[in-house]
Amino acid sequence: METISLSWHRNFTFPDFLNVNKTILILFALVFLHVTSFADEVRFTLMVSSQKISLQDYLQVQFTIENSKKVSQFVPPPFKNFNVMEGPDQASGWSLQDGVLKEYISFSYLLKAIRPGRILIPSATVKIDGKTYRSNNAWVDVINAVYPGQTEDRSVMNEFIMKKGESLQKKISNNIFVKLDVNKKTCFEGEPLVATYKLYTRLKSESKVTKRPSFNGFSVYDMVDPEREESGREIYNGKEYNVYLLRKVQLYPLQSGSFELDAVEVENNLTFVKEESMGSDYGLSGLLQSLADHNGNQDGIIRETVTLTSNPVKVEVKPLPQNAAPMFNGAVGQFHINTRIAGGKIHKNDVVDVQVEISGKGNFPVLAPPSVQWPDSLEAYESTVKEQFNKFVSPISGAKIFTYPLSVRREGDIVIPPVSLYYFDPETGKYGIASSDSVKFHVDPALAATAVKTTLPLKTEATGDIWKWIISGIGLLTVFGGLYLILRQNHNVNVVPDKSPLRQVATAADQQLQPETKEEDLLRQIKMAFEQGDYHLFYKQVNNVINEWMQKKYGANASGNWENTLQMAGVDSELIRQIAALKKDAAMAIYTPFIMDRKMIEDLESLQKIIA
């Protein structure tokens, strides 16, 4: 099965209001060069399919170049003591690793050893942007005896060969298919089921997925990246197949009823060798040689393209029992809850953080902030959330931590009552409740405002470092001051059409908001806040805009379970993730002492794409 290759393009645009003279841009870049990097490091690696083979086995060798598409020259190593059966085969594409998109180019070979022993596969070299890179090397142990699990299987070899009078369609249907497996066919609302799509084949095929399942009515979480998953072997109905994972997901039903899971479609280009064209070497090596030489012997090759779909699978989603507690908010699984407050002395008028942590396993992504009965002596602000999940197990396990900033209004002893979470446990079929302990803390009187006098020591070992920081700070202030004056001067003198993300977002808002709200256009306030450098107001209005947009378009209440509302409305999961990231940036701005203009611009562009 060949790698499915995708192209990935990025277009970078810079706002017109940052189009200042080249000297200032260079100075700005030099100041931040030590803290900012926009390029990933090139990685050039050699991988082998196995470190121990027999003389009857075949070895796949792959050289992978990550984070570069400008490869001007690839020089493979001399494969001494090996015969090259196929290659080089080139592929390109991308993979997702820890949330970061990695582009790659690969060159692969199929080798067969000609002698036993410990054999070195030397490193290859590649030129990228005029610079030479060298891969690692690898050792392979070759033994005379057949290595268990990697035997030359004549029955598999026969499936590549078309004999006279043999049915092509029957050979295909008996030796390649797509299969969908689920770990259960009955579950409750909110209880996950795992769906696994696999391609089983005993044929030579180049395959690609042409239609992916959409899973309407479910929240979907991928458990495996198929691009990084190696093929395996499985016995099915007494026959051994090469198996390729197409997709593995856990699905959380959003409503009860009967559902048929969507099928996956795979297009396969198959190749067969006519028996009469193979010659005298009727072995696997002769077969591979015939396939390798097919360009010069087209009459001996049969090609067929078939599209396969997975088998239909129906699942029954049962509704939750009706005797739920009034405070039940859709939590399904097994959970614990804990409330804590930051240590140290607390004074009147301080702002303190109280964390409510929900841990366990279940439908974490749809859990809304728990309801908390705050004492009158505390004023609570909008909470932020931190997720610590393991989505590669089912149900999802880990913790969801809600942080509430609280303003303390009075001194004395204050008690935060227990926080409760009502949930349904699908293993017992009953409702349960998780409660935290109450939190008690003492508030001291407010601190008196005092002037703080700072003196620098005359002689210390760190004096030189202190002056370095002072000089660096003065330099940064000078650069920012000069840049600000030039930006203001250019803004006042050059009147040009505003094509910045700020203007584009404001234009999009004119189309989204009703006419009666244009006088109080929040997006115009965003632009004003950006120009004035008021990032607190900037992010406050960003949050207001996204909340208003969700309310008007989907009826989603930002203070409730808005993610679930958008999922029920059929909003793409990637768009929901982008909205959550934008709201998280807005919430974190409360605690951030300094935000770079570049980050604000990126969030504006993200906002524009969301509400467009």
Side-chain angles (χ1 to χ4, degrees), residues 40-166:
D40 292 323
E41 182 181 357
V42 173
R43 297 181 67 242
F44 184 28
T45 55
L46 159 63
M47 294 180 290
V48 294
S49 57
S50 178
Q51 293 182 331
K52 188 174 184 179
I53 62 173
S54 73
L55 286 172
Q56 289 76 35
D57 294 324
Y58 292 84
L59 180 72
Q60 185 178 27
V61 177
Q62 180 171 298
F63 299 92
T64 303
I65 306 157
E66 293 181 302
N67 303 324
S68 178
K69 293 190 290 187
K70 298 180 180 179
V71 178
S72 58
Q73 184 182 36
F74 170 73
V75 181
F79 295 111
K80 294 181 180 180
N81 303 308
F82 287 95
N83 287 327
V84 179
M85 310 306 297
E86 291 185 12
D89 294 327
Q90 181 177 342
S92 62
W94 55 266
S95 63
L96 195 63
Q97 303 177 26
D98 301 325
V100 180
L101 199 65
K102 301 286 187 180
E103 297 176 274
Y104 69 86
I105 298 173
S106 68
F107 301 89
S108 58
Y109 297 83
L110 187 65
L111 310 179
K112 187 171 185 180
I114 59 178
R115 71 165 181 85
R118 185 169 174 80
I119 302 176
L120 174 68
I121 299 178
S123 59
T125 59
V126 67
K127 280 192 175 181
I128 301 172
D129 293 331
K131 185 177 179 180
T132 300
Y133 295 83
R134 184 178 297 275
S135 73
N136 57 299
N137 53 36
W139 289 91
V140 178
D141 292 320
V142 182
I143 60 176
N144 277 311
V146 175
Y147 191 62
Q150 296 181 328
T151 61
E152 181 176 11
D153 189 345
R154 180 170 290 273
S155 66
V156 173
M157 178 194 69
N158 286 334
E159 307 303 346
F160 290 81
I161 302 169
M162 282 299 300
K163 300 178 181 179
K164 288 184 178 181
E166 193 173 13

